[in-house]
Amino acid sequence: RADAPLEIKALFYIPSFHSEKYGMGRMEPGVSLYSRKVLIESKSKDILPDWMRFVKGAVDSEDLPLSISREKPQDTALIAKLRKALTRKFISHLATMAKKNP
């Protein structure tokens, strides 16, 4: 859960194999967006920044409308808040992991 005005449930996974490192081409984003457990967008490019495309997982939010797939998600203020909150939370989690396991 993230500390934001949005109700967010996110499950992220960092694979041990990084295909871009071995010249297999650019990775596609791997995080899917759900609203009330209904898939809105699979492998959405708008949920996380481009430099975090190595992250895989799913994000579910009760606050997103189900009709958001008809709109342009990158123009929605809710998606911008979601992206900012998830990025901040993910980076802080990596920082705490680095302190525990140097």
Side-chain angles (χ1 to χ4, degrees):
R1 293 180 186 261
D3 297 330
L6 296 171
E7 177 68 27
I8 302 169
K9 295 176 186 163
L11 177 66
F12 290 141
Y13 169 73
I14 302 173
S16 60
F17 180 77
H18 185 40
S19 63
E20 283 186 20
K21 183 178 176 181
Y22 299 107
M24 295 183 179
R26 189 171 176 87
M27 291 177 71
E28 292 295 317
V31 179
S32 298
L33 178 63
Y34 291 83
S35 175
R36 299 178 195 97
K37 300 177 186 166
V38 175
L39 180 65
I40 300 296
E41 190 174 3
S42 178
K43 298 184 179 180
S44 176
K45 297 177 182 174
D46 304 314
I47 298 174
L48 293 176
D50 189 44
W51 60 270
M52 290 179 64
R53 63 186 173 272
F54 61 92
V55 177
K56 307 295 180 201
V59 175
D60 187 12
S61 178
E62 298 283 330
D63 299 324
L64 291 174
L66 289 173
S67 64
I68 201 163
S69 62
R70 294 186 201 125
E71 305 167 9
K72 277 294 208 190
Q74 65 264 25
D75 296 334
T76 306
L78 285 173
I79 295 293
K81 280 185 183 179
L82 183 73
R83 181 180 191 164
K84 186 176 178 181
L86 289 172
T87 304
R88 188 178 324 131
K89 192 72 170 176
F90 185 75
I91 291 172
S92 69
H93 182 69
L94 286 180
T96 56
M97 284 178 53
K99 286 179 185 176
K100 288 181 182 178
N101 302 320

